[in-house]
Amino acid sequence: MNPKFNQMFEQVSLPTGITLKNRIVLAPMTHMSSNADGTISDAELAYYARRTGGAGMSLTAVGHVTEHGIGFPAQFGVYDDRFIPGLKRLADTMKQQGSVAVLQIFHAGRLTPEQAVPAGQVVAPSAVASERPGSPEPRELTDAEITSIIKDFGEATRRAIEAGFDGVEIHGANGYLIQQFFSLIPTDEKIVGAEVSRNV
């Protein structure tokens, strides 16, 4: 092996006191293999068991922090304590060969499929539909709902801690809810600026 890559395989200590066995990180990859009820499946446990052994840190696919925040089918939930046992199995599986386990969490906002949420109610910072063809116009969140979702992220983090994860990554990219609060992604001149109409 080329000596310039040696550093990749050396331990690294993080400011939190956690030590990674190397600098290799398994990225959070969507696999759509959770159970239909949002619990962790045996298939995804096997998926992580095969992939986390060599990594110093491993990140899960993303879990949603509210029932209305799901982004795609067969995604696991982090919005209720009933998910903690499955999340613990996931954390244990990811850590069994020495990898640090990090849980990724999000809310899909206007990218939530309307057929995947109760009453088809998609919510977002503004009543502006996604640029994806056929996307519904979401209902604008109230200030109280925004505050509640912030707390939901906190509760999801608590569940991650109880399940034994070493860290949490908040997914704020790819057009999901957090990015919807500050990104300007116009597809129609009439809606330019609508995405930043809320000030939170």
Side-chain angles (χ1 to χ4, degrees):
M1 181 179 71
N2 191 317
K4 71 179 182 179
F5 298 119
N6 287 347
Q7 193 175 26
M8 287 180 56
F9 301 96
E10 296 174 358
Q11 286 188 350
V12 59
S13 294
L14 304 179
T16 59
I18 291 176
T19 298
L20 308 183
K21 65 181 181 180
N22 57 45
R23 297 168 187 261
I24 298 170
V25 177
L26 175 70
M29 296 178 288
T30 301
H31 50 66
M32 300 173 76
S33 60
S34 302
N35 293 319
D37 64 356
T39 57
I40 302 295
S41 70
D42 290 339
E44 66 191 307
L45 292 177
Y47 172 93
Y48 287 105
R50 287 193 304 269
R51 289 166 172 81
T52 56
M57 178 186 292
S58 301
L59 287 82
T60 68
V62 70
H64 50 110
V65 301
T66 76
E67 187 176 13
H68 287 80
I70 189 169
F72 41 84
Q75 179 182 23
F76 67 89
V78 198
Y79 59 85
D80 191 275
D81 285 356
R82 70 184 173 90
F83 296 116
I84 293 175
L87 293 169
K88 178 169 174 33
R89 291 178 66 206
L90 178 56
D92 290 346
T93 297
M94 295 172 72
K95 294 164 71 170
Q96 66 187 359
Q97 297 181 66
S99 184
V100 167
V102 175
L103 179 70
Q104 188 185 64
I105 57 177
F106 87 149
H107 186 299
R110 72 179 190 172
L111 296 184
T112 298
E114 59 184 330
Q115 68 274 14
V117 291
Q121 185 62 75
V122 177
V123 296
S126 301
V128 178
S130 166
E131 61 274 9
R132 291 179 180 176
S135 294
E137 180 179 302
R139 179 179 59 76
E140 183 176 293
L141 289 163
T142 65
D143 290 346
E145 287 173 321
I146 293 168
T147 299
S148 178
I149 290 172
I150 292 169
K151 292 177 180 177
D152 291 330
F153 273 92
E155 282 296 288
T157 300
R158 174 186 59 80
R159 294 181 188 106
I161 293 168
E162 291 186 22
F165 283 94
D166 301 297
V168 167
E169 180 183 66
I170 297 175
H171 190 343
N174 304 120
Y176 293 123
L177 183 67
I178 292 175
Q179 190 176 30
Q180 290 165 25
F181 276 100
F182 63 84
S183 288
L184 190 63
I185 313 173
T187 57
D188 183 321
E189 291 181 3
K190 291 179 285 188
I191 65 167
V192 171
E195 280 302 292
V196 291
S197 65
R198 297 301 296 268
N199 182 16
V200 295

